[in-house]
Amino acid sequence: MPTDAVPPVPPIPVRSVPPPTKAPPPGAPRRWRQLALLGGLLNVDNSESSVQSVLFPALRASLGLPLAALGQLVAASKLAHAVAGPLWVALARRWPRKNVLAVCCGFWGVWTAAMGLAQNFVQLLVLGTIASAGIAGGGPLVNGLVADLFDDADRGRAAGVLYGIAALGLGITGPLLGLLSDVENGWRYGFFASGTVQVVFGVLILAFLRDPGVGARDGARSGPAAVARLTRAQFRGLLRNRTLLLICVQRLTTGQFILISFGVTFLVDERGFTNATASLVTPAVTVTYLLGTFLGGFVADRVHRRHPRTGRIAAMQTAIVAYAVVAYAATQIDWGPMWVYMVAFGLVGGVQSVNPGINRPVVMSVVLPELRSAAFALMLSVEAAGWAISSLLVGYLGDAFGLQTAFLWLAVVLMLANGALVTLLYRPYVRDAAAVRSELARRAAATIGGAKQA
């Protein structure tokens, strides 16, 4: 018997639900903004040493100082870094890193401004040492924050951008500082301005910096107990980390920093330029330094992805040997006109600038998140001690034999030996990086398992 056909019922439309996505760690959406702020902080902290190095010929004439005085100023500053850096890191394990950064790298700038009031070398030395003791906290704490903002694949690029921004101010302020050399007591105004800008950045850090948390980008965020204090066992573990120790030895014996401190004075004493003219080399160095940091960090990340076992170490070794070659060309040959020295020193800056994009990620990859700031404090303290020793040697050798001879031994010969030393890093780096990856994977698995049980 025929029945009426029932029309089909149209299906009820269902709104598609997008697949769940992993929530980014706090601060991740603005991580490049945070990086820019941290780079600006390092920038203004370096301005104190910029005033000292660029305006030393004028300062020397004002206070009647020998060339060795610059070496003593730099050495005292770096020794203060070596001692005070770990103390600021210890403080940051008990109080928020943002607050500690604002104090040591920001409000501490009042001591930099006070350097402009010095009436003799002793006062300048004491005030400079106190100012440097505060700035010492910036390097290890900032590098620890960068590791928590970026994962391992992007840390070379991030470190390159960070130190590129930090160098940008020198290129802008270098010629301006050079102009102050023609003003009576102009070096005093340089210290006043530097200290004021540091204090301003202390306010900006308090207002805008967002700490993502220790271990945020490794999927193994450390709890408060893990970062509250550095235990003896943790410290012994750092000292047993062969990669970190070899990096420290490499930074102790590097001669890269003496051209930063003595470059302008070299052009005045050895090549006969005026202080204002010699300071023109700083923007040339800054441009190439910026290019080197950005390009070096990008290339270092690409090399690491293609050769994860040895890429970073090979890149580091190549950069060190290349530095020795270009340093020889810049300091051992009398080129004549200033524009040639701008090119030569620019090459030096470009080669030197690739190092932060390589050695910082190396340290980050072989140390657990809660110990990274402490590891950077150790590395930068040793680096500061090496800077102090080389600065003293350059000052005394420069007075005795001339800066050209001093640069030959410390910026060329020593750097070739330094490049050979890096060969010892290949095997321990592979082992230590694998151990950290294994521990982070274990922590991440434990966290997921605990969440499922809950």
Side-chain angles (χ1 to χ4, degrees), residues 13-284:
V14 179
R15 181 175 298 175
S16 61
V17 179
T21 58
K22 184 180 179 181
R30 298 184 177 87
R31 57 181 184 165
W32 290 103
R33 253 184 253 174
Q34 301 291 298
L35 186 73
L37 180 60
L38 293 172
L41 181 69
L42 292 184
N43 184 346
V44 298
D45 284 344
N46 289 334
S47 64
E48 170 261 336
S49 60
S50 300
V51 175
Q52 191 169 271
S53 60
V54 172
L55 287 176
F56 180 75
L59 190 156
R60 174 176 59 181
S62 176
L63 298 181
L65 304 178
L67 176 62
L70 178 57
Q72 294 166 6
L73 286 170
V74 175
S77 168
K78 298 310 169 185
L79 289 175
H81 270 70
V83 174
L87 298 180
W88 288 112
V89 170
L91 193 64
R93 295 175 75 89
R94 296 179 177 273
W95 283 279
R97 287 186 289 186
K98 178 174 76 171
N99 297 351
V100 175
L101 264 180
V103 172
C104 69
C105 295
F107 305 131
W108 205 268
V110 296
W111 292 104
T112 300
M115 293 176 68
L117 301 175
Q119 299 301 310
N120 54 54
F121 177 70
V122 174
Q123 292 178 9
L124 187 68
L125 184 66
V126 171
L127 291 171
T129 302
I130 296 174
S132 297
I135 296 169
L141 294 179
V142 166
N143 279 285
L145 281 162
V146 170
D148 297 328
L149 286 167
F150 296 87
D151 55 29
D152 186 60
D154 294 324
R155 283 172 183 158
R157 186 165 48 124
V161 172
L162 175 76
Y163 284 91
I165 296 172
L168 180 61
L170 180 59
I172 297 173
T173 61
L176 298 177
L177 291 174
L179 294 176
L180 287 176
S181 65
D182 294 329
V183 178
E184 184 178 1
N185 289 321
W187 60 272
R188 297 185 187 274
Y189 302 130
F191 284 122
F192 293 155
S194 175
T196 300
V197 176
Q198 283 177 251
V199 173
V200 170
F201 257 84
V203 176
L204 294 177
I205 288 294
L206 285 180
F208 299 109
L209 183 65
R210 300 292 180 266
D211 190 334
V214 175
R217 294 298 293 182
D218 293 293
R221 189 189 303 272
S222 301
V227 299
R229 62 189 180 90
L230 182 66
T231 65
R232 291 183 179 180
Q234 289 174 328
F235 183 71
R236 287 196 298 268
L238 283 179
L239 295 182
R240 287 195 298 268
N241 189 312
R242 192 176 174 192
T243 301
L244 178 61
L245 290 183
L246 286 172
I247 287 284
C248 287
V249 173
Q250 186 264 326
R251 302 313 289 169
L252 178 66
T253 57
T254 186
Q256 286 184 318
F257 304 113
I258 59 175
L259 290 185
I260 297 175
S261 300
F262 291 85
V264 173
T265 303
F266 165 80
L267 292 173
V268 172
D269 289 359
E270 299 287 340
R271 300 298 183 251
F273 296 105
T274 66
N275 195 166
T277 301
S279 67
L280 294 176
V281 78
T282 56

Side-chain angles (χ1 to χ4, degrees), residues 396-442:
Y396 290 120
L397 288 174
D399 273 337
F401 305 105
L403 280 175
Q404 181 168 317
T405 300
F407 283 169
L408 174 64
W409 287 102
L410 295 175
V412 179
V413 176
L414 179 62
M415 288 306 296
L416 289 174
N418 194 270
L421 175 66
V422 174
T423 305
L424 300 177
L425 271 169
Y426 284 97
R427 292 183 65 183
Y429 171 71
V430 173
R431 183 191 65 236
D432 294 338
V436 168
R437 289 195 302 271
S438 176
E439 173 61 16
L440 291 175
R442 185 195 66 79

Side-chain angles (χ1 to χ4, degrees), residues 299-385:
V299 171
D301 282 342
R302 291 288 299 271
V303 170
H304 174 62
R305 283 193 286 269
R306 292 176 66 104
H307 307 281
R309 291 170 60 86
T310 60
R312 282 174 173 158
I313 307 303
M316 182 190 303
Q317 191 168 41
T318 302
I320 292 172
V321 175
Y323 179 91
V325 174
V326 295
Y328 179 89
T331 63
Q332 303 304 308
I333 301 174
D334 189 346
W335 294 104
M338 183 63 198
W339 70 267
V340 182
Y341 286 103
M342 293 173 67
V343 173
F345 275 80
L347 290 174
V348 172
V351 175
Q352 180 177 348
S353 64
V354 305
N355 281 288
I358 303 172
N359 59 30
R360 267 59 171 179
V362 167
V363 174
M364 294 172 188
S365 64
V366 299
V367 177
L368 292 172
E370 65 271 18
L371 299 178
R372 283 175 184 149
S373 288
F376 279 114
L378 176 62
M379 185 192 86
L380 294 176
S381 293
V382 172
E383 178 180 282

